[in-house]
Amino acid sequence: MSISPVQAARQELSGFKGQLIGPEDSGYDEARTVYNAMIDRRPALVALCTDPEDVALVVGFARDHGLPLAVRGGGHHGAGLSICDDGVVLDLSLLKDIEVDPAARTVRVGGGCLLGEVDRATNEHGLATPSGIISTTGVGGITLGGGLGHLTRKCGLAIDNLLEAELVLANGGRVRANADENTDLYWAIRGGGGNFGVVTSFLFRLHEVSTVVAGPTFWPVELGAEVLAAYRDFILHAPRELGGFFLFGSVPPGPPFPEEIHLQKVCGVVWCRIGDDTDAAARDMAPLLDALPAPLLHGPAPMPLPAIQSAFDGVYPPGDQWYWRADFVDEIPGEAVELHAKFGAELPTWKSTMHMYPIDGAVHDLAPTDTAWSYRDSNWASVFAGVDPDPANADVVKRWSIDYNDALHPYSAGGAYVNMMMDEGQESVRASYRDNYARLARVKADRDPANLFRLNQNIEPAASD
């Protein structure tokens, strides 16, 4: 190409209604910035699309010019897979339509929406769809990878509530995928990530969830082994209405936390019990609390669901250095409990953390082959996240995450949740899909045979016979 991609796009994409941004334009640095400040890439072109027609034009431009194509929704993924060097970034952030149908209990969501925007719109009607724990996360990326969060035990994953999606394919075609149309694609996008096209619109099922009893219970980190062992034995037998993920972390240095415990290393549970009945919530939590010493802090209280969904936003704003590793977990034997306690006590920075999300309950109601997300028989999804605002600590947090994961991986189910992986290569991707990988590769060969959509946790097209 004798002229730059942004110059070529401006000449060729006459019908494009959005904004084309190149390295020489003001706003370029903002347009190429993603959530994880450890990622610093320089695309040749950022295309802010306004509608599916814009999306199709950009897909065709990248394809026809042989340019790498990254698709950006919220830009939250730890590996920075929504940005690329010397290629095209298809930015969906202007696709913000949200249409709630209270009677049908559905919400139609544009591909550029963030979780908090959807939470607020649905909460006005006393409804919610399950996904995530940080409200600035993009709906698109988290959904296509699975979408677990506070409501998972009762309501399932985001993909379990995905009724329909509208996509732009690699050939520029626009299709609808649901239980009756393009069923191969509908199966694949429920866990298979952004491998099959650009989703411009999602239709989700809604549940009657408005107020929840939510908040943390913290114990000193020295009790890590005791608390994790008790939690392990408790949570899988708790009512489905009770969500609660285990963590190692540090108490944030600000309200609403008491000043005397600010920055103290802790272990604990972040609760989210559906409904406003505090007595029922106390009864549901009691078996764990009664089995353990008195906590440093027990903070669950009634609140609107969007409040707990956004509770981590202030702790983890854009611009921190992140390095993630992850595993699916079937069981947590005593040896694993002790290793968790060891690494939890060695948190390298106050923002670094380990979360153990329960994925039993409603997730187990589907079989491993019902969607692309295959770990339906596992009980937890764990993430080891080294985090710090200072670039000087990037190697420190990365090393802790890798060492922690390496120590615990022998006790894992063998694969990891793709939304919490870094760019770890094909072996890790295959392990994340297990027996579903071959079917995904066949759908990929049919829908994207040239692997245009490869800047993701990539599923390679199956070889032709």
Side-chain angles (χ1 to χ4, degrees):
M1 187 179 297
S2 59
I3 60 175
S4 71
V6 69
Q7 291 172 323
R10 286 171 178 152
Q11 289 179 11
E12 298 175 23
L13 303 183
S14 58
F16 186 77
K17 299 177 290 295
Q19 186 177 2
L20 301 172
I21 302 173
E24 304 303 318
D25 295 321
S26 62
Y28 174 74
D29 284 335
E30 180 181 358
R32 70 182 184 88
T33 299
V34 292
Y35 182 75
N36 182 4
M38 202 177 286
I39 308 299
D40 183 19
R41 297 183 183 135
R42 301 186 66 84
L45 168 66
V46 179
L48 277 72
C49 301
T50 63
D51 56 24
E53 290 78 13
D54 276 359
V55 171
L57 286 171
V58 174
V59 167
F61 178 82
R63 181 192 64 236
D64 294 345
H65 287 280
L67 291 167
L69 176 64
V71 180
R72 174 174 172 161
H76 246 256
H77 196 279
L81 299 176
S82 61
I83 200 81
C84 61
D85 284 320
D86 304 320
V88 177
V89 173
L90 192 162
D91 191 303
L92 297 169
S93 60
L94 300 180
L95 277 70
K96 291 287 194 182
D97 289 347
I98 300 175
E99 300 174 11
V100 181
D101 186 335
R105 292 188 184 175
T106 62
V107 59
R108 190 172 294 278
V109 177
C113 289
L114 305 182
L115 294 183
E117 295 165 344
V118 179
D119 290 336
R120 290 189 292 272
T122 58
N123 188 253
E124 291 179 6
H125 303 276
L127 301 169
T129 194
S131 192
I133 68 160
I134 296 180
S135 76
T136 56
T137 306
V139 169
I142 195 172
T143 298
L144 295 173
L148 56 87
H150 291 296
L151 304 180
T152 295
R153 298 190 70 239
K154 175 64 174 179
C155 303
L157 304 167
I159 56 172
D160 301 340
N161 296 276
L162 178 60
L163 301 175
E164 182 175 285
E166 296 177 355
L167 298 91
V168 175
L169 303 180
N171 64 7
R174 293 172 56 188
V175 298
R176 179 181 293 111
N178 54 40
D180 299 314
E181 302 174 79
N182 295 294
T183 55
D184 61 329
L185 201 54
Y186 180 55
W187 177 86
I189 62 173
R190 288 179 293 158
N195 274 282
F196 308 98
V198 182
V199 179
T200 57
S201 173
F202 298 86
L203 181 67
F204 293 106
R205 178 187 300 111
L206 295 174
H207 300 260
E208 288 190 9
V209 180
S210 178
T211 301
V212 294
V213 178
T217 302
F218 291 148
W219 288 267
V221 75
E222 293 79 12
L223 294 179
E226 184 177 355
V227 175
L228 178 55
Y231 169 84
R232 169 199 66 190
D233 297 336
F234 159 78
I235 192 64
L236 302 184
H237 305 287
R240 288 189 177 191
E241 286 77 13
L242 183 66
F245 66 84
F246 179 89
L247 64 74
F248 286 108
S250 300
V251 179
F257 301 102
E259 189 173 352
E260 61 269 19
I261 63 171
H262 283 181
L263 296 179
Q264 183 169 335
K265 290 182 180 180
V266 293
C267 60
V269 180
V270 176
W271 304 101
C272 181
R273 203 269 185 191
I274 295 171
D276 60 2
D277 190 332
T278 55
D279 291 337
R283 287 194 299 271
D284 289 348
M285 297 172 192
L288 179 65
L289 297 173
D290 292 348
L292 291 166
L296 287 170
L297 172 75
H298 182 61
M303 63 185 69
L305 177 68
I308 188 63
Q309 290 283 92
S310 59
F312 284 90
D313 292 5
V315 177
Y316 297 116
D320 285 344
Q321 307 280 315
W322 283 78
Y323 193 88
W324 295 359
R325 284 291 181 90
D327 273 323
F328 285 119
V329 178
D330 295 343
E331 298 177 349
I332 311 173
E335 298 91 339
V337 169
E338 295 299 329
L339 285 168
H340 275 294
K342 172 186 180 296
F343 282 94
E346 297 171 352
L347 294 165
T349 61
W350 82 264
K351 289 193 178 189
S352 294
T353 189
M354 191 285 295
H355 291 179
M356 183 80 70
Y357 299 96
I359 51 171
D360 63 320
V363 180
H364 286 190
D365 291 344
L366 277 71
T369 58
D370 285 348
T371 67
W373 206 88
S374 73
Y375 278 84
R376 298 283 179 178
D377 47 359
S378 289
N379 288 316
W380 292 278
S382 59
V383 60
F384 315 89
V387 191
D388 195 71
D390 189 349
N393 288 328
D395 289 341
V396 173
V397 299
K398 179 178 180 179
R399 187 73 263 158
W400 175 81
S401 299
I402 292 173
D403 289 348
Y404 196 163
N405 182 221
D406 285 351
L408 270 299
H409 187 68
Y411 302 94
S412 76
Y417 177 39
V418 294
N419 284 351
M420 294 176 178
M421 290 166 53
M422 300 303 281
D423 193 1
E424 298 165 33
Q426 272 296 299
E427 184 177 344
S428 294
V429 175
R430 286 177 177 270
S432 296
Y433 291 113
R434 297 192 293 186
D435 293 343
N436 287 345
Y437 187 88
R439 181 177 174 185
L440 285 164
R442 291 193 296 271
V443 179
K444 178 75 168 180
D446 181 50
R447 300 292 183 164
D448 183 19
N451 205 6
L452 176 66
F453 300 114
R454 61 184 178 275
L455 299 183
N456 44 43
Q457 302 296 353
N458 192 233
I459 296 161
E460 296 178 339
S464 56
D465 296 333

